[in-house]
Amino acid sequence: MARETLRNLRRNLTLTLASILTVAVSLSLLGIALLLQRGVSNATDRWQDGVEFIVFLEPDITDSQLGLVQEEIERSAAIESYRFVNQEESYREFNEDFFPENPEITQLVTKEIIPPSYRIIPKQLSAAAIEIVASGFETKPGVKKVVRATDEIQKIEKATDVIRWIVLGAGVILLGTGLLLILNTIRMAIFARRREIEVMKLVGASNSFILVPFMLEGTFQGLVGAALGTASVYGANRAFEEWLASENVLNILQSFAVGSGEVWGIGGLLFLVGALVGSVGSAIAAYRFLDV
Amino acid sequence: MIKLESVTKVYKGEVLALHQASCDIQKGEFVFLVGQSGSGKSTFLRLLNKEEEPDNGKIFVAGKDIARLRRWRVPQMRRQIGSIFQDFKLLPNKTVSQNVAFALEVIGRPRHVIKTQVPAILDLVGLQTKMNRFPHELSGGEQQRVSIARAFVNRPLILLADEPTGNLDPATSVGIMRLLERINEIGTTVVMATHDRGIVDTMRRRVIELNNGEIVRDQARGVYE
Ligand SMILES: Nc1ncnc2c1ncn2[C@@H]1O[C@H](COP(=O)(O)OP(=O)(O)O)[C@@H](O)[C@H]1O
Ligand SMILES: [Mg+2]
């Protein structure tokens, strides 16, 4: 029966490739939409402990500059609480929180280039109040950058939200197209073998014997599409991680990093959807054109 | 073996192909189904292996009411019925022996059984020397022999033949009829729709005549008209 399936696949190579590629592209889009969703939810989780902004210091800040910044924080009436995170701790956090499964990426980052930082919670949590306090630190000597958490994350969240829906929509539409293409491939395969099918029915081949090769063929197409889709989702996530690592370790997008466990979870889901689309497509074709 | 109880078949709600047909065919009988073109002979045969469903009446095959057969049981029933046709329905890309073997493969017969049964049945129909020919390399009579081999290789209880000599010249037809007679002598019930007056008149078997879907004559050792 496997041989039968392979022979069918060869017979309609172009159509088969078209179905597989369409399923692959649609599943990549679905996977990327899921990836974005995971990223946003990770970012929100990671900043949820109430830190509203972070003052990143130059890695080579002098002691006197550090003293001045610290003094400023303690004196400010607008600050509720703060925590100093030294290089050691930042480095550990970077490794454990952001890229635990990717030693290749953390290898690129040495302890020396990781900045120490102050994590600060202001008394008033309105965006405007945070902005006033935060911007005060931006010009201080020894300060590398001030990152406002919620603000930036919300901005990114809003942007990704729109992108996510577009990508998801395109993915679903393409998935429907993929299903129709698989259905059509199977219909062609049934048509090409109509004489054999007629004889099979005549001599009493069981329904499943007639049906299974076509079901396998459709499911196989869905699964190959899923494999390609998963590969491209994995690739996209890898590219994102590498970009994060090379670009700028302070980039807030770091908190959007998605662990490889989560990526494989998404891959598993894509395989499931691929198998489903393939078997449903061929089942419809079989039901309509095989009449067993 | 085969029993029809006032069976009616209407195609698309308007073409009356069979009207209240009743008959009873015993095991081992050889029956000719005669009548003009369009009188319902093919419909009669197609109803017997459930290629079509009757609109009314009951059909029994081997003692079973086939309307009450579960869907997944239908293939089992068809294994007891061999069918041959005017146009042979051979697979053009398979050799003679592959065509015959196909009928056994698709019902899941083990390979060693296929290996012994295919040559045996080709021997019976007189094609042992042409096992590796393709259908287009055979004469019409030889192709019909292949299709008989395929229909009979699984030793069905019943053989349905729909104008099996319709495309053959009289001399070749005689050979095919000899073969069908031999198959009938082994105990197989044969129902054959035909136009061929000569064959019916020389063989003198039971004749059921259809006219506009009605059985108008059922005669033991009958003639064409
Ligand atoms: N699949 C079908 N759909 C509609 N009408 C059909 C079909 N098959 C046969 N008929 C009609 O039913 C009648 C009987 O046909 P058939 O059983 O083929 O007769 P015969 O075999 O004696 O020539 C004819 O009028 C034919 O046109
Ligand atoms: Mg006919």
Side-chain angles (χ1 to χ4, degrees):
Chain A
M1 234 182 272
R3 203 182 35 172
E4 204 62 60
T5 309
L6 272 181
R7 217 180 46 160
N8 288 349
L9 282 178
R10 259 211 315 276
R11 193 183 337 249
N12 245 312
L13 201 59
T14 12
L15 204 54
T16 303
L17 282 181
S19 330
I20 289 177
L21 284 181
T22 311
V23 173
V25 172
S26 63
L27 288 182
S28 323
L29 291 179
L30 288 186
I32 284 165
L34 287 172
L35 212 55
L36 284 173
Q37 188 194 22
R38 286 305 324 149
V40 168
S41 114
N42 284 352
T44 342
D45 283 354
R46 276 164 194 160
W47 289 82
Q48 243 168 12
D49 45 5
V51 173
E52 293 301 330
F53 68 92
I54 300 178
V55 177
F56 284 107
L57 307 168
E58 297 289 355
D60 54 358
I61 187 169
T62 64
D63 283 351
S64 66
Q65 284 171 333
L66 188 65
L68 283 173
V69 174
Q70 170 101 24
E71 201 177 305
E72 173 79 22
I73 291 171
E74 277 172 0
R75 232 183 28 220
S76 170
I79 289 173
E80 172 74 33
S81 66
Y82 71 94
R83 187 164 77 89
F84 179 68
V85 181
N86 63 19
Q87 269 183 316
E88 200 91 30
E89 204 180 330
S90 281
Y91 181 65
R92 213 178 49 237
E93 199 172 66
F94 179 76
N95 281 350
E96 286 169 7
D97 280 6
F98 295 155
F99 303 109
E101 296 100 350
N102 285 326
E104 306 95 319
I105 282 172
T106 47
Q107 267 163 23
L108 297 170
V109 178
T110 59
K111 204 188 299 180
E112 287 68 39
I113 67 165
I114 296 248
S117 59
Y118 284 103
R119 312 254 160 113
I120 295 170
I121 303 174
K123 283 209 174 82
Q124 284 183 291
L125 292 178
S126 72
I130 291 170
E131 186 52 36
I132 291 168
V133 192
S135 59
F137 289 95
E138 245 153 10
T139 50
K140 286 274 175 312
V143 170
K144 184 174 171 124
K145 193 176 185 183
V146 178
V147 174
R148 299 138 182 92
T150 35
D151 211 31
E152 298 239 352
I153 284 178
Q154 272 165 10
K155 250 194 294 189
I156 294 165
E157 201 175 336
K158 246 180 222 147
T160 53
D161 227 30
V162 176
I163 297 169
R164 211 172 79 217
W165 281 113
I166 293 171
V167 170
L168 196 70
V172 167
I173 290 169
L174 267 180
L175 200 64
T177 315
L179 188 132
L180 289 179
L181 276 172
I182 288 179
L183 196 157
N184 199 41
T185 320
I186 303 303
R187 187 178 69 92
M188 300 285 274
I190 290 173
F191 184 73
R193 299 187 56 207
R194 66 195 178 285
R195 279 209 189 91
E196 279 153 77
I197 293 168
E198 187 189 4
V199 173
M200 283 197 236
K201 285 186 194 167
L202 215 54
V203 300
S206 68
N207 293 344
S208 60
F209 190 93
I210 300 174
L211 203 70
V212 166
F214 296 110
M215 293 291 289
L216 281 183
E217 186 179 340
T219 310
F220 178 77
Q221 290 176 18
L223 284 176
V224 174
L228 294 175
T230 304
S232 60
V233 168
Y234 183 76
N237 191 50
R238 254 329 253 273
F240 175 64
E241 285 174 346
E242 269 161 31
W243 173 75
L244 277 184
S246 63
E247 183 77 356
N248 180 355
V249 285
L250 299 184
N251 199 316
I252 192 144
L253 285 170
Q254 256 168 19
S255 52
F256 286 81
V258 175
S260 58
E262 288 169 313
V263 175
W264 290 127
I266 291 173
L269 194 70
L270 295 188
F271 268 87
L272 222 73
V273 175
L276 201 72
V277 164
S279 48
V280 167
S282 41
I284 295 174
Y287 179 78
R288 287 209 36 206
F289 306 109
L290 217 47
D291 187 33
V292 290
Chain B
M1 181 63 40
I2 297 169
K3 193 164 154 200
L4 271 68
E5 283 181 7
S6 106
V7 171
T8 296
K9 172 70 188 174
V10 184
Y11 287 110
K12 294 171 190 135
E14 47 177 312
V15 185
L16 186 63
L18 218 52
H19 183 59
Q20 303 210 327
S22 298
C23 65
D24 196 346
I25 296 170
Q26 302 302 316
K27 181 170 174 10
E29 269 196 279
F30 194 118
V31 180
F32 286 120
L33 216 50
V34 302
Q36 289 178 339
S37 188
S39 59
K41 303 184 293 297
S42 297
T43 301
F44 186 109
L45 296 179
R46 282 203 299 270
L47 285 168
L48 295 183
N49 65 3
K50 249 172 128 55
E51 271 184 82
E52 300 283 357
E53 303 292 333
D55 293 285
N56 227 317
K58 280 187 175 169
I59 300 171
F60 298 87
V61 173
K64 287 208 184 86
D65 181 350
I66 63 171
R68 297 176 60 180
L69 223 51
R70 293 296 173 103
R71 210 175 156 79
W72 62 274
R73 289 265 196 198
V74 173
Q76 302 290 337
M77 179 203 80
R78 288 188 182 151
R79 288 175 197 187
Q80 318 223 300
I81 303 176
S83 297
I84 61 174
F85 303 90
Q86 184 171 1
D87 60 357
F88 320 131
K89 296 193 197 297
L90 298 177
L91 301 175
N93 56 344
K94 291 190 191 299
T95 64
V96 167
S97 59
Q98 286 169 345
N99 261 287
V100 178
F102 185 71
L104 293 173
E105 285 162 8
V106 300
I107 61 171
R109 287 288 129 91
R111 195 165 298 193
H112 68 271
V113 171
I114 297 175
K115 244 182 171 163
T116 56
Q117 293 215 14
V118 171
I121 195 80
L122 286 176
D123 209 35
L124 178 81
V125 301
L127 282 175
Q128 59 275 48
T129 58
K130 303 196 168 165
M131 291 195 1
N132 297 319
R133 299 274 188 94
F134 285 93
H136 70 267
E137 298 170 328
L138 301 176
S139 71
E142 288 168 335
Q143 291 187 49
Q144 191 59 288
R145 285 169 190 272
V146 179
S147 98
I148 291 171
R150 181 179 65 191
F152 196 62
V153 68
N154 195 34
R155 306 289 156 150
L157 300 170
I158 298 168
L159 189 72
L160 305 179
D162 196 349
E163 309 204 27
T165 59
N167 277 342
L168 307 176
D169 59 63
T172 314
S173 300
V174 170
I176 294 297
M177 290 318 296
R178 290 250 163 79
L179 188 54
L180 293 183
E181 265 187 307
R182 268 187 78 186
I183 285 172
N184 175 240
E185 278 159 13
I186 319 171
T188 316
T189 310
V190 178
V191 183
M192 170 171 158
T194 186
H195 265 125
D196 197 321
R197 172 188 303 265
I199 289 173
V200 178
D201 287 349
T202 51
M203 282 183 58
R204 303 300 304 262
R205 299 300 185 110
R206 179 174 172 186
V207 173
I208 295 176
E209 184 180 344
L210 286 166
N211 188 13
N212 287 327
E214 298 200 27
I215 295 181
V216 293
R217 178 165 61 111
D218 188 345
Q219 187 179 19
R221 282 186 282 114
V223 290
Y224 191 77
E225 253 175 354

